[in-house]
Amino acid sequence: MLRSALAGVIILTAAAAPALAAKRRAPSVTRFDGIWSVEVITESGTCDRAYRYGVIIRDGQARYAGGSDFIITGRVQPNGAVRGSISRGDASAHVVGRLADGWGNGTWVTSGSTRCGGRWNAERRG
């Protein structure tokens, strides 16, 4: 009985080992998951001088932490590369940059009738 139970454990361990090794090797975006405070600073154009957004990242996907005022969509790659957009009504800004452990930065530019651009800085809050 003990011998067959031990053989079963060995077989299960051997079967699970490749999956566990692959999981350890696969880069994870979850290190960026959490609540981030993002400051958006206008450097060109007639947009307001600065904005601050709460952003939630879960499984590498970004979304606005507030109500329905803004729509924030985007993705954080395992290496920290960020691509996304911030929109409200018909106004939209394209965002690119990079996150690191607890901070991040990048640039943004609007599309549409109002042309603005600038930089953004992010700080992990939770």
Side-chain angles (χ1 to χ4, degrees):
M1 177 91 161
L2 181 60
R3 177 183 259 175
S4 63
L6 185 56
V9 168
I10 290 170
I11 290 169
L12 286 174
T13 303
L20 291 173
K23 188 174 183 177
R24 278 194 299 267
R25 283 191 308 267
S28 174
V29 293
T30 59
R31 72 183 183 126
F32 301 111
D33 285 2
I35 301 168
W36 293 76
S37 176
V38 179
E39 178 186 36
V40 176
I41 300 163
T42 300
E43 295 179 326
S44 66
T46 59
C47 295
D48 290 343
R49 174 72 183 128
Y51 302 90
R52 184 168 294 276
Y53 301 98
V55 175
I56 297 172
I57 300 173
R58 180 170 293 138
D59 295 327
Q61 297 289 329
R63 67 178 172 86
Y64 183 49
S68 60
D69 303 352
F70 295 91
I71 298 172
I72 294 178
T73 59
R75 179 117 184 105
V76 180
Q77 298 299 318
N79 67 359
V82 173
R83 289 202 176 278
S85 68
I86 301 169
S87 59
R88 180 172 66 179
D90 63 350
S92 179
H94 179 69
V95 178
V96 296
R98 183 166 302 277
L99 293 181
D101 293 325
W103 63 276
N105 57 39
T107 59
W108 62 274
V109 63
T110 61
S111 59
S113 59
T114 303
R115 303 298 288 173
C116 299
R119 61 188 165 88
W120 61 267
N121 302 298
E123 179 180 292
R124 185 192 296 267
R125 298 293 177 145

